[in-house]
């Protein structure tokens, strides 16, 4: 695994890349550095330089596809400076404390944190992200749905039609970076 600044014919970009060899094929998995936790967002399969020409001529089989190990990519990220379980637990504790204050007023700080947690839970492949947030925060699902709706309305989280997900906006990222730097955030 390595952090790359462009790969092959692809445009220059910063990300985490991992190669896997499966028979005569080279599998390259990639994810942007700025992405939340989770697996690769791009997988390229191409003939390996030392690959068997006859196998390559038959094309990529479903057997090759089943052997692509995205789990190894996720596991390897543990050593690349991505947030650890301890970091995630500290963030969850901070979110719980912010949630206690949220009953008084939905602050920008809280909504940015909730949106970031939501994006992370979706990105790691959780099929029921609101349920996972309920377990993390102790808040009820309808409350969390309302708070996420408010996060979208206030411009912290983009919307994805018909399914869970979205991306943090620059506004949310700015608040979260300010929290890391120890700055306060504006209340609304």
């Amino acid at each position: 695994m390595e952090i790359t600044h462009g790969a092959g014919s692809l445009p220059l970009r910063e990300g985490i890349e991992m190669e896997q060899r499966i028979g005569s094929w080279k599998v390259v998995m990639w994810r942007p550095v700025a992405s939340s936790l989770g697996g690769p967002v791009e997988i390229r399969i191409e003939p390996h330089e030392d690959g068997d020409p006859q196998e390559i001529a038959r094309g990529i089989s479903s057997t090759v596809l089943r052997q692509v190990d995205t789990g190894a990519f996720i596991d390897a990220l543990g050593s690349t400076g991505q947030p650890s379980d301890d970091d995630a637990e500290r963030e969850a504790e901070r979110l719980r404390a912010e949630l206690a204050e949220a009953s008084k007023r939905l602050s920008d700080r809280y909504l940015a944190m909730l949106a970031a947690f939501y994006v992370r839970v979706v990105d790691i492949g959780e099929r029921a992200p609101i349920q996972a947030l309920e377990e993390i925060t102790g808040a009820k699902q309808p409350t969390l749905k309302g708070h996420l709706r408010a996060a979208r309305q206030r411009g912290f989280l983009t919307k994805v039609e018909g399914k869970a997900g979205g991306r943090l906006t620059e506004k949310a990222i700015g608040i979260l970076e300010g929290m890391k730097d120890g700055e306060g955030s504006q209340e609304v």
Side-chain angles (χ1 to χ4, degrees):
M1 173 145 8
E2 61 182 290
I3 295 182
T4 61
H5 300 280
S9 62
L10 297 175
L12 189 62
R13 61 205 182 140
E14 189 171 279
I16 299 169
E17 187 173 276
M18 179 177 170
E19 286 187 19
Q20 177 186 5
R21 180 159 184 186
I22 302 173
S24 293
W25 302 98
K26 176 171 66 172
V27 178
V28 180
M29 294 176 266
W30 181 84
R31 186 183 86 191
V33 170
S35 178
S36 297
L37 291 178
V41 298
E42 183 178 289
I43 298 175
R44 268 188 347 267
I45 302 175
E46 54 194 43
H48 194 277
E49 298 81 26
D50 300 331
D52 176 11
Q54 289 180 334
E55 187 178 341
I56 292 169
R58 287 191 296 268
I60 300 168
S61 67
S62 60
T63 302
V64 170
L65 294 175
R66 282 192 297 271
Q67 292 177 28
V68 174
D69 189 1
T70 58
F73 183 90
I74 294 167
D75 292 343
L77 291 179
S79 62
T80 62
Q82 296 294 327
S84 68
D85 289 341
D86 290 340
D87 293 337
E89 185 55 37
R90 278 193 293 277
E91 288 179 36
E93 284 302 320
R94 187 189 258 176
L95 184 61
R96 286 184 199 107
E98 290 286 335
L99 184 63
E101 292 296 314
S103 61
K104 301 171 192 157
R105 168 174 55 198
L106 289 180
S107 68
D108 286 355
R109 181 180 169 130
Y110 165 74
L111 293 175
M113 287 178 67
L114 181 66
F117 250 90
Y118 176 72
V119 167
R120 181 177 294 172
V121 168
V122 170
D123 283 352
I124 63 172
E126 180 63 49
R127 293 193 187 276
I130 300 295
Q131 184 177 347
L133 282 176
E134 180 180 42
E135 292 170 15
I136 292 168
T137 64
K140 299 293 181 198
Q141 290 183 34
T143 300
L144 291 167
K145 287 178 182 178
H147 292 177
L148 287 169
R149 189 176 315 108
R152 283 189 168 95
Q153 289 171 345
R154 290 201 205 166
F156 296 111
L157 182 63
T158 64
K159 185 173 176 114
V160 178
E161 287 298 323
K163 65 178 189 172
R167 293 280 125 222
L168 290 179
T169 64
E170 290 298 320
K171 181 178 178 181
I173 292 168
I175 288 174
L176 295 169
E177 286 174 350
M179 290 171 64
K180 286 180 186 174
D181 296 337
E183 299 171 9
S185 64
Q186 200 173 12
E187 301 292 325
V188 175

